[in-house]
């Protein structure tokens, strides 16, 4: 009778899981960390990636306060 155990899989401990773009019709492998978290590449991402997350606007004080 044949041995029914699965062979041990050798996994590179330094390697990371491969993730592909979820945009319709794309399917490219994602290498950028932000793209990997969001699941889509920068060309399909609805949020702009400017590298500056905060947007402060100078405003006049509210009258009466």
């Amino acid at each position: 009778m044949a041995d029914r155990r699965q062979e041990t899989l050798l996994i590179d401990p330094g390697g990371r899981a491969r993730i592909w773009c979820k945009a319709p019709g794309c399917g490219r492998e994602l290498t950028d960390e932000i793209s990997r978290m969001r699941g889509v590449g920068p060309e399909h991402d609805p949020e702009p990636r400017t590298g500056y997350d905060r947007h402060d606007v100078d405003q006049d004080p509210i009258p009466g306060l």
Side-chain angles (χ1 to χ4, degrees), residues 17-46:
R18 297 174 77 184
I19 299 175
W20 288 270
C21 184
K22 296 177 185 173
C26 184
R28 292 187 320 157
E29 185 175 0
L30 301 174
T31 57
D32 178 34
E33 196 61 37
I34 295 174
S35 297
R36 292 170 58 83
M37 285 190 304
R38 294 182 179 179
V40 292
E43 59 275 353
H44 301 123
D45 198 349

Side-chain angles (χ1 to χ4, degrees), residues 1-2 5-6 14 16 21-22 26-27 30-31 37 41 48 50-51 54 61 65:
M1 183 172 213
R5 291 182 293 168
Q6 180 179 1
R16 48 184 196 180
C21 184
K22 296 177 185 173
C26 184
L30 301 174
T31 57
M37 285 190 304
T50 60
R54 188 171 175 167
L65 291 180

Side-chain angles (χ1 to χ4, degrees), residues 2-18:
D3 188 14
R4 301 191 74 162
R5 291 182 293 168
Q6 180 179 1
E7 294 180 28
T8 303
L9 300 175
L10 300 176
I11 299 174
D12 179 18
R16 48 184 196 180
R18 297 174 77 184

